[in-house]
């Protein structure tokens, strides 16, 4: 079952800032792109590769606050695990 979450306005703004940032890491930009692509598309989900990038961004001490916000949004939109 797909997750029905979408990226909110604040997270989309943070994702945009992250994508425009020349200092953002490749992982941060990947997570931001995933979050931004899901702004109005509840049927879309975060891919495993983008989820890994988002996780790396969240755990990095070098990641900016907007990058972490976008990464968190991307992670909330990954597919639900089957039990």
């Amino acid at each position: 079952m797909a997750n029905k979450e979408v990226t909110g306005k604040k997270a989309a703004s943070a994702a945009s800032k992250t994508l425009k940032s020349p200092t953002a890491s490749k992982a941060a930009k990947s997570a931001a792109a995933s979050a931004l692509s899901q702004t109005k598309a509840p049927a879309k989900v975060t891919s495993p590769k983008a989820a890994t990038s988002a996780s790396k961004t969240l755990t990095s001490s070098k990641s900016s606050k907007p990058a972490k916000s976008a990464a968190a949004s991307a992670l909330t939109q990954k597919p639900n695990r089957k039990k």
Side-chain angles (χ1 to χ4, degrees):
M1 181 175 188
N3 197 341
K4 298 194 191 239
E5 296 282 331
V6 292
T7 303
K9 289 182 181 181
K10 286 184 181 181
S13 177
S16 178
K17 288 177 185 176
T18 301
L19 286 172
K20 291 177 184 177
S21 172
T23 58
S25 68
K26 186 176 178 182
K29 288 188 178 195
S30 174
S34 178
L36 202 54
S37 74
Q38 298 169 30
T39 54
K40 293 184 180 180
K44 287 190 175 184
V45 294
T46 302
S47 70
K49 186 176 180 182
T52 300
S53 294
S55 178
K56 287 179 183 177
T57 301
L58 285 172
T59 57
S60 172
S61 61
K62 295 181 181 181
S63 295
S64 66
K65 187 174 179 180
K68 288 186 176 191
S69 176
S73 179
L75 278 179
T76 64
Q77 297 169 59
K78 72 180 194 157
N80 295 330
R81 291 181 132 193
K82 291 183 180 179
K83 294 182 180 179

